[in-house]
Amino acid sequence: MSVGGAGIPRLQELTYVESAALAVARGEPFEKIRLAILDRAEKSARGTDHDGSFDPEKWRRRRVDTMSYVHNTVDVLKELMRLGWVERHVLPSTPRSAYAHADVTYEATPAGLAWTELVQQDRLSGYNALVGALIDAHPQFEGYLRVVGARPHSTTDHLTVPLLRADAPADGGRERYLTAFINHVTDASRAGDLGWSASPEAIEKDLRAYVTRAVHRSEARAKQRESKQRPVDGAASAAPLITRKRFSLLCEEATVRLAFSSAGCPMDYISHELLRRWTRFLGLANFSYYAPGPPALRLWATGRVMGAGRQPDFQRFVGREVRAAALTALPQIWSTPDGHLDDASYHPVWRVRAAVCWKLRISDDEFDAAIGAAYRGDFPGLGFRVHLDEAIQLRAPGSVRPLVLSQGDGQRRVFHVMSLLGARADEEALTR
């Protein structure tokens, strides 16, 4: 498999780079590297299991299946070669050919060995160095940081992608929905403050062309599958080839591509998904579908990186002052006349988090740290108390997470809803 090109590697977790680099430095072969990456993925899945859905048997099956996680292993090794941290070498072209490479070892370069030593001694410094290397290797990575406001020459601190709910309009089929979507994006672009702009003609042309092509491809693939299957007498009619939810996602994909291209950083939808995940992990940017305002995907900087290469400089919006600001903003956001939330006693943590983080341009981690500190009483004199509850009020969307606080005994408690209470226990919630 080729190790050329500068496209964003298809890595759900940047920590795969660390696992693979350490395994290469230890002289381990391809199969052991695959297992190291799989172990990292399993640890991540176990750590984010808040509802008991983690399935150890599934991960056991993946370990013994030598074709599982081959793509991830190849992609991360290609990336290490691209960064100059591993000497170039032939890699499996498909999961089926991985068996022939199971015992192949790879050679770390001096730069790769230096990075593995750094990341073991000081993990933050190691990942800061990785940011510098990624900026040098991937124009899209640097472009993403610039577009969301995390570079010195950024011209805005956010990028907003207007969206339309999948259930609007209620009827009229795909064409009516697409027309309404295009009109919505056009109106939002005219209003400004998106971090990008495009003419009505460009919006119409790009969105309609992308969605039309995607629909045709999907329908063609579906027909090919149907032609290979035997018809069954009396079988129920097939489900729609493209559901309303899927069609609305195609519209989102088209708008994301248009937004980044218009902002000067052409990017496909999957690369954007990976980069928003990486930059959140790195403490440089955040995103939300649920920040207050019209439906939209909002992406914003939570830090700034200056320079590139081996020693970039960083400024991250973290610490006690940021957390104090988050707590100060809570009452205004909660239920004042110009607030963003209604006057219910409790709200899902993820909704409150989205509102505060978007308002202050901070990370989810800083919000969670602020709420945890207030819950423990580390910020006296707030004029209110944060009350947390483990009850599930609404099913959380897939892109958000509950609030997880560590207890003194090392156990974790998972909170789904929160309220603000007066300073005394017998006072009513501030939202009433």
Side-chain angles (χ1 to χ4, degrees), residues 31-44:
E31 174 60 12
K32 289 288 185 66
I33 299 171
R34 181 187 76 87
L35 293 176
I37 293 170
L38 196 149
D39 287 344
R40 178 77 70 167
E42 180 180 2
K43 181 179 179 181
S44 176

Side-chain angles (χ1 to χ4, degrees), residues 163-180:
L163 300 176
L164 199 62
R165 295 192 310 272
D167 59 350
D171 53 23
R174 294 179 191 167
E175 178 55 34
R176 184 179 175 188
Y177 179 87
L178 179 57
T179 299

Side-chain angles (χ1 to χ4, degrees), residues 159 194 362:
L159 184 82
L194 297 179
I362 63 174

Side-chain angles (χ1 to χ4, degrees), residues 70-82:
V70 167
H71 282 306
N72 293 277
T73 307
V74 169
D75 283 342
V76 74
L77 286 171
K78 285 173 63 177
E79 182 64 13
L80 289 171
M81 294 174 191
R82 185 181 292 117

Side-chain angles (χ1 to χ4, degrees), residues 10 59 65 134 164 175 208-209 235 271 301 330 343 357 410 420 423:
R10 288 344 194 197
W59 291 95
D65 178 5
L134 291 172
L164 199 62
E175 178 55 34
R208 192 172 293 279
S271 293
L330 268 178
D343 60 355
C357 290
L420 301 186

Side-chain angles (χ1 to χ4, degrees), residues 172-392:
R174 294 179 191 167
E175 178 55 34
R176 184 179 175 188
Y177 179 87
L178 179 57
T179 299
F181 195 103
I182 291 171
N183 291 338
H184 176 68
V185 175
T186 301
D187 291 343
S189 179
R190 287 196 182 107
D193 197 32
L194 297 179
W196 63 277
S197 63
S199 69
E201 295 77 17
I203 293 172
E204 168 87 26
K205 179 182 177 181
D206 285 18
L207 299 193
R208 192 172 293 279
Y210 180 93
V211 172
T212 300
R213 286 196 304 269
V215 168
H216 288 167
R217 286 196 302 266
S218 182
E219 290 177 339
R221 287 194 297 266
K223 289 178 180 178
Q224 287 180 344
R225 289 194 299 268
E226 289 177 0
S227 67
K228 296 178 181 179
Q229 298 174 350
R230 289 184 176 181
V232 179
D233 293 339
S237 59
L241 297 180
I242 299 180
T243 64
R244 180 182 289 273
K245 182 177 180 180
R246 173 57 183 159
F247 191 77
S248 68
L249 179 58
L250 292 177
C251 294
E252 176 184 335
E253 292 177 5
T255 313
V256 166
R257 288 169 61 99
L258 173 64
F260 275 94
S261 178
S262 300
C265 181
M267 186 175 306
D268 64 274
Y269 186 79
I270 293 176
S271 293
H272 129 270
E273 281 192 309
L274 293 170
L275 287 172
R276 74 189 192 190
R277 186 182 182 102
W278 294 2
T279 53
R280 174 185 274 181
F281 168 75
L282 293 166
L284 295 173
N286 200 0
F287 72 93
S288 178
Y289 286 93
Y290 307 102
L297 166 62
R298 295 174 173 86
L299 309 107
W300 63 91
T302 60
R304 183 162 293 183
V305 53
M306 287 68 71
R310 294 184 178 180
Q311 295 182 323
D313 294 320
F314 291 83
Q315 176 190 14
R316 291 183 173 90
F317 311 145
V318 299
R320 186 174 178 85
E321 289 186 5
V322 171
R323 297 166 192 178
L327 294 172
T328 300
L330 268 178
Q332 292 87 29
I333 285 178
W334 196 269
S335 185
T336 56
D338 59 346
H340 301 299
L341 300 171
D342 60 33
D343 60 355
S345 297
Y346 287 87
H347 286 290
V349 170
W350 53 269
R351 281 197 180 280
V352 183
R353 182 194 289 128
V356 173
C357 290
W358 168 244
K359 178 181 176 66
L360 300 182
R361 304 295 199 265
I362 63 174
S363 70
D364 289 359
D365 287 341
E366 285 303 293
F367 173 86
D368 290 0
I371 298 301
Y375 186 67
R376 294 189 301 269
D378 295 345
F379 281 91
L382 288 173
F384 63 86
R385 292 187 301 107
V386 174
H387 181 71
L388 304 172
D389 200 291
E390 295 167 288
I392 299 178

